[in-house]
């Protein structure tokens, strides 16, 4: 069996260390530098020929910089003879998995192409936005689910009374359905439309049985918070008692946090695919269980 080494990239230092510890694999010594003009540099003199190197690097904002750091490290280490597995807990560009408006680039396809060209042999991510994205990769790609861990946390830590799961978006209903089934509660569905030019979010009117209930709004990504805010306002207006947002990837860009609070979201639960103060659920165990199933 080839020796395994873990590189904890600058975007995922803690998660990378946790993964190395759970795998019982040493951390690879390396240096990432960003010059004052924004250029990145990677160096490592580790001997990696014939070894399995697992590079853990999430690609949350600044997405392009984090992605480029992953590409630099992958290229350098694969040139040195390592077999590269990229663990990218939050996969940037996963929402650009098709041409939504005529003339748009399918950016996730470009990401897949770049990864392959720098020697990435396989990719492990967490709850990819849509299964459509998996088909854009010409090498093995695996999406590990954080839903069981989020359900366990929500059950044991949130003290909810008469809970019900609300999906803000038809696109994410497979994920929310899995959450509701594991939790053992009803799933209520909202339907969102997004203006593809302005990015604005609108929900179709829907009557939901939420009066007096505690509502878990479950989604994959919270970015500007527009989606969760619209759903929170809708369930609040229909008499929900408490509103909790449970998401995999917490980007919280712009005024997301203030807007979520203003919309009546009482608690936010996200995983550590993106580090931050609302990370309540660790994905290292799910990732490592999957890594252990992969061949050399
Ligand atoms: C979109 O389809 C995703 O599932 C999320 O709902 C979306 O990316 C969240 O973005 P925002 O927080 O900006 O509304």
């Amino acid at each position: 069996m080839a020796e395994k080494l873990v590189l904890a990239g600058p975007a995922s230092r803690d998660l990378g260390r946790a993964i190395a510890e759970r795998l019982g694999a040493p951390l690879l010594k390396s240096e990432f530098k960003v010059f004052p003009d924004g250029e990145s540099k990677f160096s490592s003199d580790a001997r990696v020929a014939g070894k399995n190197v697992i590079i853990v690097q999430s690609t949350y904002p600044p997405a392009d910089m984090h992605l480029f750091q992953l590409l630099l490290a992958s290229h350098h280490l694969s040139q040195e003879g390592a077999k590269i597995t990229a663990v990218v807990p939050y996969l940037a560009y996963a929402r650009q998995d098709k041409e939504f408006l005529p003339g748009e680039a399918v950016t996730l396809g470009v990401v897949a192409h770049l990864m392959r060209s720098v020697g990435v042999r396989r990719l492990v991510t967490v709850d990819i936005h849509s299964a459509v994205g998996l088909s854009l990769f010409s090498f093995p790609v695996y999406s590990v689910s954080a839903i069981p861990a989020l359900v366990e946390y929500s059950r044991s830590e949130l003290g909810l009374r008469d809970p019900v799961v609300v999906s803000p978006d038809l696109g994410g209903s497979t994920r929310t359905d899995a959450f509701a089934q594991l939790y053992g509660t009803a799933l209520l569905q909202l339907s969102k439309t997004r203006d593809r030019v302005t990015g604005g979010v609108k929900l179709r009117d829907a009557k939901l049985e939420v009066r007096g209930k505690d509502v878990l709004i479950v989604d994959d990504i919270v970015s500007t918070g527009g989606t969760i805010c619209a759903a929170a306002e809708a369930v609040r207006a229909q008499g929900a008692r408490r509103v909790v947002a449970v998401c995999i990837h917490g980007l919280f860009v712009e005024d997301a946090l203030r807007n979520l609070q203003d919309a009546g979201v009482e608690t936010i639960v996200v995983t550590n695919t993106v580090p931050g103060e609302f990370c309540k659920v660790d994905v290292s165990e799910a990732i490592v269980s999957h890594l252990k199933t992969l061949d050399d």
Side-chain angles (χ1 to χ4, degrees):
M1 227 164 65
E3 191 189 336
K4 284 190 179 69
L5 292 167
V6 175
L7 193 167
S12 300
R13 292 273 186 233
D14 292 345
L15 185 53
R17 279 193 208 103
I19 288 173
E21 207 164 297
R22 284 185 188 275
L23 274 175
L27 283 167
L28 185 145
K29 287 206 185 83
S30 62
E31 192 193 1
F32 287 87
K33 197 171 164 175
V34 180
F35 289 100
D37 61 1
E39 287 186 358
S40 296
K41 180 180 168 180
F42 173 75
S43 50
S44 171
D45 56 10
R47 288 171 189 274
V48 293
K51 297 183 183 168
N52 276 328
V53 175
I54 297 161
I55 304 178
V56 186
Q57 170 82 342
S58 212
T59 52
Y60 54 85
D64 291 350
M65 185 177 90
H66 288 150
L67 177 63
F68 196 66
Q69 288 170 329
L70 169 70
L71 297 173
L72 272 181
S74 301
H75 185 258
H76 179 81
L77 297 169
S78 69
Q79 292 282 300
E80 294 295 313
K83 295 183 243 171
I84 307 293
T85 299
V87 172
V88 184
Y90 171 67
L91 180 61
Y93 295 109
R95 287 172 289 180
Q96 294 186 47
D97 57 6
K98 57 180 166 236
E99 185 183 348
F100 291 96
L101 291 178
E104 281 181 355
V106 182
T107 315
L108 186 61
V110 179
V111 171
H113 178 72
L114 290 171
M115 284 188 187
R116 190 189 169 98
S117 69
V118 295
V120 173
R121 289 172 19 132
R122 54 196 177 191
L123 169 68
V124 178
T125 186
V126 178
D127 288 287
I128 191 166
H129 172 65
S130 158
V132 173
L134 300 174
S135 65
L136 299 173
F137 290 79
S138 57
F139 56 91
V141 49
Y142 310 93
S143 177
V144 168
S145 181
I147 292 291
L150 282 166
V151 168
E152 196 182 314
Y153 179 89
S154 304
R155 264 178 196 285
S156 62
E157 303 299 324
L158 297 179
L160 299 179
R161 205 177 69 190
D162 207 359
V164 63
V165 173
V166 167
S167 176
D169 186 358
L170 288 170
S173 55
T174 312
R175 195 167 10 242
T176 15
D177 193 33
F179 187 102
Q181 284 203 26
L182 276 175
Y183 200 112
T185 185
L187 170 66
L188 305 176
Q189 186 67 57
L190 285 165
S191 168
K192 172 179 92 176
T193 52
R194 189 183 287 276
D195 183 316
R196 291 276 161 207
V197 179
T198 64
V201 163
K202 266 198 196 136
L203 291 179
R204 286 204 189 92
D205 285 342
K207 175 101 191 61
L208 301 176
E209 297 293 318
V210 292
R211 182 155 302 281
K213 294 181 191 274
D214 289 349
V215 172
L216 294 135
I217 302 173
V218 178
D219 204 357
D220 60 336
I221 302 166
V222 52
S223 179
T224 64
T227 304
I228 299 284
C229 286
E233 280 158 8
V235 298
R236 277 270 182 230
Q238 297 189 45
R241 197 176 78 98
R242 291 176 61 191
V243 179
V244 175
V246 180
C247 300
I248 322 283
H249 313 289
L251 303 178
F252 305 115
V253 304
E254 299 170 352
D255 292 327
L257 288 171
R258 190 165 45 81
N259 294 340
L260 289 166
Q261 200 180 13
D262 292 350
V265 175
E266 187 191 293
T267 307
I268 301 166
V269 178
V270 290
T271 76
N272 58 349
T273 59
V274 180
E277 68 171 297
F278 297 101
C279 292
K280 312 270 172 50
V281 169
D282 177 19
V283 293
S284 65
E285 189 179 350
I287 290 172
V288 168
S289 305
H290 188 78
L291 287 172
K292 285 182 174 166
T293 67
L294 301 179
D295 301 331
D296 276 355

